[in-house]
Amino acid sequence: MKGPLVAGGLVLALLLGFVIARSTADPAAPPAATAPTVVPSHSHGGAVAGDLGGLSLSAGGFTLAPSTTTFGAGAAQQFTFRVLGPDGKAVTRFVLNHEKLMHLVVARHDLSGFQHLHPQMAPDGTWSVPLTLPSPGIWRIYADFVTFDPAGAQAPATLAVDATVAGDYRPLTLPEPVRTAETGGMTVALEGTPAVNATQPLSLRVLASGTPVTDLERYLGAYGHLVVLRDGDLGYLHVHPEDQLVGGAVKFWLSAPSVGRYRLFFEFQRGGQVHRAEFTVDVR
């Protein structure tokens, strides 16, 4: 009987020693935390594809809650709103996105009257900005921001609401497609043509008296910004360019989500002044 007992004791001792060694060894370092994934609702110098945003009041669990959607023509008033999260409460945590926590873009349904504003947020999550809608009609107001989803990942979103201005609405005809636009005594030339579901380069070149401008300044962290609105449903896309000028031009990469007519609003800064050039583009 001694042989089995001795053998059993040896096995038990070995097992006990193994457990003690495991318990006293240095614990393995935990895996490095992975950075939150950013879902690209708009591009930052990369390709843009898929459906446009800004088509609804709610998306991704977030809802735009404006204080009013009625304005008087040409009357300045304080526009306030909140972004409600999946829990129905006002969101108060936002990510700095091109130097601003919130981009508010406004345009009438005929794609005229473009505005790009930056509201301020109160501690309770209420955003406010002076807003003037200059003419009668229906206006689309877009809230473009990045916040966090319930899992803690960054969540870009573009929510939109229609506002009405009473009066004699006279829609403007959308300008025909052209390759140049005038703004601030300068000419902006559009180079490239968007295609459906095919990433294409789109460059904007600024000229003064026929000579390329070489002193563009960064505006909101980039040499230019491009907002694209689709005629008809006013689908929205906010595109950012490559970090550096390419051949003296501001270069974007764009893939149109569908055929149709689009209005492009290109903003850039020179001499401390922000300028805007507008283009109509047909995507076939």
Side-chain angles (χ1 to χ4, degrees), residues 187-213:
T187 300
V188 180
L190 174 65
E191 302 171 358
T193 302
V196 177
N197 296 326
T199 303
Q200 299 290 336
L202 200 68
S203 296
L204 283 302
R205 190 177 303 278
V206 182
L207 305 101
S209 301
T211 302
V213 169

Side-chain angles (χ1 to χ4, degrees), residues 121-201:
M121 187 184 72
D124 68 351
T126 299
W127 293 89
S128 61
V129 64
L131 178 59
T132 301
L133 301 182
S135 57
I138 301 177
W139 294 73
R140 180 71 55 86
I141 301 175
Y142 303 89
D144 180 352
F145 59 90
V146 181
T147 184
F148 297 91
D149 66 17
Q154 292 187 17
T158 303
L159 308 178
V161 64
D162 281 341
T164 57
V165 178
D168 184 13
Y169 173 47
R170 299 177 181 270
L172 301 177
T173 302
L174 198 63
E176 289 298 313
V178 293
R179 285 289 175 174
T180 60
E182 305 297 321
T183 179
M186 294 170 286
T187 300
V188 180
L190 174 65
E191 302 171 358
T193 302
V196 177
N197 296 326
T199 303
Q200 299 290 336

